[in-house]
Amino acid sequence: MRHWISIVVVSWFFLACSDKTAEQKADLPRPKGYNRIILPKAKYQDVEKGHPFTFEVSQYAQVMPDTVSWAEPHWLYIYYPQWHAFIQLTYKPLNKDQKKLANLINDAYILAAKHQGKARGIQEYVMTTRSGRKAGIIELDGEVATSFQFYTTDSLNHYLRGAVYVKTATQNDSLAPVIQFLKKDAMHLIQTLQWKP
């Protein structure tokens, strides 16, 4: 009988300890994680609306005019309401002014360099579109306001600059899927851009 009492007491002790350990584990904070972001499949539609250019834009975005007081005609926001993100487009007519073009390209790099303090790295390259046009691409890594910027021109009459923004306090590494989705849309915009005569 004593033997059975000892077994019951020892078993009860181990059960009590294991319950306490489970309670202690429940009180511990969970490890840091990231939000689950479900991205839609990319679908595009044409944008024209009286601008000197046309391109394809995501069906999940809204094309809106830029409403800041210094906005010029044909400045646009491509707004993604589900992420509070947008691609800002600024258009400048060149009228064959090569000095103006050089200044605008220089400004694109100056604006990107303003993020250098927070950027872990900046990659600059020129890409050739399917139609043979050139576009300057600037990609920034780190906690920067805009991780992707670009400009494209026909070198004579048109210049378009764009920047991808995500308006949230969440760190960029947890927003990586959204940022990649927006970069893909920006690259699609560049590839499908056509200037009007």
Side-chain angles (χ1 to χ4, degrees):
M1 177 85 167
R2 250 184 184 183
H3 183 57
W4 282 105
I5 292 173
S6 297
I7 292 174
V8 170
V9 169
V10 169
S11 299
W12 177 78
F13 176 75
F14 281 119
L15 285 173
C17 288
S18 67
D19 285 346
K20 190 170 184 178
T21 305
E23 286 175 14
Q24 287 173 342
K25 285 182 181 177
D27 292 340
L28 294 175
R30 294 180 181 259
K32 184 178 178 181
Y34 297 117
N35 297 329
R36 182 174 180 192
I37 300 172
I38 299 171
L39 299 172
K41 187 175 180 181
K43 295 179 183 176
Y44 299 99
Q45 60 193 6
D46 289 333
V47 167
E48 190 172 317
K49 297 185 181 177
H51 300 294
F53 47 76
T54 183
F55 54 82
E56 289 183 4
V57 66
S58 174
Q59 291 181 352
Y60 307 106
Q62 302 167 3
V63 179
M64 305 182 307
D66 192 333
T67 57
V68 297
S69 60
W70 60 88
E72 296 179 18
H74 313 297
W75 286 21
L76 301 173
Y77 284 120
I78 301 171
Y79 179 62
Y80 296 79
Q82 65 270 43
W83 304 307
H84 302 293
F86 59 93
I87 302 172
Q88 181 184 31
L89 299 176
T90 53
Y91 170 81
K92 297 275 191 177
L94 295 176
N95 302 316
K96 301 180 183 176
D97 185 342
Q98 293 301 300
K99 186 175 180 181
K100 182 177 182 180
L101 174 61
N103 288 336
L104 289 169
I105 291 172
N106 189 45
D107 285 348
Y109 288 103
I110 289 171
L111 289 168
K114 287 184 178 182
H115 299 279
Q116 201 160 3
K118 290 191 174 188
R120 288 191 309 258
I122 298 178
Q123 293 180 321
E124 302 170 1
Y125 56 94
V126 175
M127 67 169 274
T128 304
T129 66
R130 291 185 289 252
S131 61
R133 254 188 250 100
K134 304 287 185 195
I137 307 293
I138 305 165
E139 294 193 61
L140 301 101
D141 293 326
E143 298 305 314
V144 291
T146 173
S147 58
F148 186 84
Q149 300 181 25
F150 65 90
Y151 68 88
T152 186
T153 179
D154 68 352
S155 300
L156 294 173
N157 299 306
H158 307 283
Y159 173 89
L160 185 71
R161 181 184 174 276
V164 172
Y165 291 93
V166 180
K167 294 174 67 174
T168 180
T170 307
Q171 293 183 346
N172 282 357
D173 56 354
S174 62
L175 292 171
V178 171
I179 292 170
Q180 288 304 315
F181 186 90
L182 296 171
K183 283 182 181 180
K184 182 180 173 191
D185 275 6
M187 291 295 275
H188 188 83
L189 184 156
I190 294 165
Q191 290 284 5
T192 59
L193 178 72
Q194 297 290 329
W195 303 116
K196 291 184 184 175

